[in-house]
Amino acid sequence: MADKKGLTYADAGVDIDAGNAMVEKIKPLVRATRRPGADAELGGFGGLFDLKAAGFTDPILVAANDGVGSKVKLAIDSGLHDTIGIDLVAMCVNDLVVQGAEPLFFLDYFATGRLDPALGAAIVAGIAAGCRESGAALIGGETAEMPGLYAGKDYDLAGFAVGAAERGALLPKAGVKPQDVVFGLPSSGVHSNGFSLVRRIVADAGLNLSDAAPFDSGRTLAEALLVPTRIYVKPILEALKQTSAIKALAHITGGGFPENIPRVLPEGLGVALDLAAIPVPAVFGWLARSGNVAEVEMLRTFNCGIGMIVIAEAAHAREAETALQAAGETPIEIGKIVEAEKSRVTYAGRLAL
């Protein structure tokens, strides 16, 4: 009787050679994210960062982790993988900067059923681009090949970012009060929230991702919906250096305005927003009309055109506005801080949907 052939890891669906090939492909991408404090080399069991070399004296570390939700499914179904990594970085580093922290380093987790080195490298290229844009070093990550857990070409991503701020420089500051001015910074589109609803609307409309976007004739629907999340880090950090008038920031992600703005407000205070002042990108009007989505649902699901909130001292609001403009932002005054007992986010006017 012949001996039974011995099994290998590859027979079980895990290709170690493919993993090694991917690491070689991404090494130049990782090196391009070097910054003071990190050499951004791969191969060790952990990534190192030198806070002293980064110029900090008495830092507080700030950490954040996130994913990109079901937006990743659009990347998978369309075969467009080069920007989803930017989303991954953006969702993490934007959460750092709202606390006044400078992003220092980033790590990613990429899980799939069958590893394709070229696809993995395309995703990491986006991650590296996001790291360069935010000033974070990509110091490590994990690639997991798990056959049987992910079907076909499916994959998922998670990101982990660490930043720092000098002690005493963290946001929000004490002293947010009624009449303080609320500015909004424009989003690039849907960013990375609400995509379960987006995908349902696309399916109900009978559209293919390769069709021309109904709200942007110059792009396919996939290209228009996959526009990556804006990274606000460098303009905000620059503005914070130029003015002390900025008291608080809020990243508008899942939960939209009513969930995210109160997170940075003291008890007893809320915000009154002028919806008519918000420049609403065409994609949101299309989603609202095609899905018959009520305005209140849009406001708690999507950013509706405002990806970041800036709260500024009333007496120095123009100073904050000027600092943001000088840093390359386009701040839009959309409301004020008010006293509030129950509803902490109230609205006047209507969104231009």
Side-chain angles (χ1 to χ4, degrees):
M1 180 177 178
D3 290 339
K4 185 178 180 180
K5 179 185 175 183
L7 291 173
T8 65
Y9 211 1
D11 292 327
V14 178
D15 190 342
I16 294 174
D17 293 334
N20 292 335
M22 178 178 159
V23 170
E24 291 304 311
K25 283 179 176 289
I26 67 175
K27 279 184 176 180
L29 301 171
V30 173
R31 291 190 190 107
T33 70
R34 284 177 170 151
R35 55 152 294 154
D39 62 12
E41 283 291 344
L42 294 180
F45 286 94
L48 305 178
F49 194 92
D50 185 343
L51 282 166
K52 188 174 182 179
F56 287 90
T57 302
D58 186 19
I60 299 292
L61 292 178
V62 182
N65 72 294
D66 211 335
V68 294
S70 60
K71 186 175 185 177
V72 75
K73 184 63 173 170
L74 291 185
I76 293 166
D77 291 346
S78 66
L80 302 175
H81 308 283
D82 55 339
T83 61
I84 200 73
I86 299 175
D87 287 290
L88 184 66
V89 176
M91 295 301 289
C92 296
V93 297
N94 285 341
D95 280 354
L96 295 182
V97 80
V98 298
Q99 296 173 86
E102 174 190 346
L104 301 177
F105 59 86
F106 188 85
L107 300 99
D108 69 278
Y109 175 78
F110 168 48
T112 186
R114 181 178 180 277
L115 183 60
D116 177 340
L119 182 150
I123 293 169
V124 175
I127 294 172
C131 285
R132 292 193 301 272
E133 187 175 346
S134 63
L138 179 56
I139 67 170
E142 172 69 9
T143 300
E145 191 173 20
M146 297 186 282
L149 190 60
Y150 293 90
K153 296 182 179 180
D154 285 353
Y155 62 83
D156 200 8
L157 300 170
F160 309 85
V162 173
E166 293 291 357
R167 194 177 302 273
L170 291 170
L171 298 178
K173 295 178 182 178
V176 175
K177 60 183 184 293
Q179 298 308 308
D180 281 347
V181 176
V182 178
F183 293 103
L185 304 185
S187 69
S188 56
V190 186
H191 284 186
S192 296
N193 298 102
F195 271 88
S196 293
L197 179 56
V198 170
R199 290 169 50 240
R200 172 66 182 272
I201 291 170
V202 170
D204 288 352
L207 294 172
N208 295 315
L209 293 176
S210 58
D211 292 340
F215 50 89
D216 185 349
S217 60
R219 292 171 168 162
T220 66
L221 184 57
E223 290 168 342
L225 292 175
L226 285 170
V227 170
T229 306
R230 279 200 63 205
I231 293 176
Y232 298 92
V233 169
K234 289 184 178 179
I236 286 178
L237 289 177
E238 181 59 31
L240 289 172
K241 290 178 183 177
Q242 300 304 319
T243 179
S244 59
I246 296 173
K247 292 182 174 181
L249 302 161
H251 185 198
I252 305 303
T253 57
F257 296 110
E259 296 294 330
N260 288 292
I261 300 177
R263 295 168 66 179
V264 300
L265 299 179
E267 288 296 325
L269 294 183
V271 60
L273 298 179
D274 177 8
L275 298 183
I278 296 174
V280 181
V283 59
F284 296 110
W286 178 77
L287 289 169
R289 294 189 301 272
S290 297
N292 194 28
V293 184
E295 183 181 72
V296 66
E297 186 69 14
M298 293 292 294
L299 288 164
R300 72 174 191 172
T301 304
F302 301 112
N303 66 66
C304 296
I306 298 296
M308 185 70 71
I309 292 290
V310 180
I311 299 171
E313 170 71 39
H316 302 286
R318 300 287 75 84
E319 178 185 316
E321 182 179 29
T322 299
L324 288 163
Q325 290 170 339
E329 277 296 341
T330 309
I332 304 155
E333 186 171 340
I334 62 171
K336 292 188 183 301
I337 300 299
V338 296
E339 293 182 356
E341 293 183 2
K342 293 183 180 180
S343 181
R344 302 189 70 191
V345 180
T346 58
Y347 309 109
R350 301 294 301 273
L351 288 173
L353 296 171

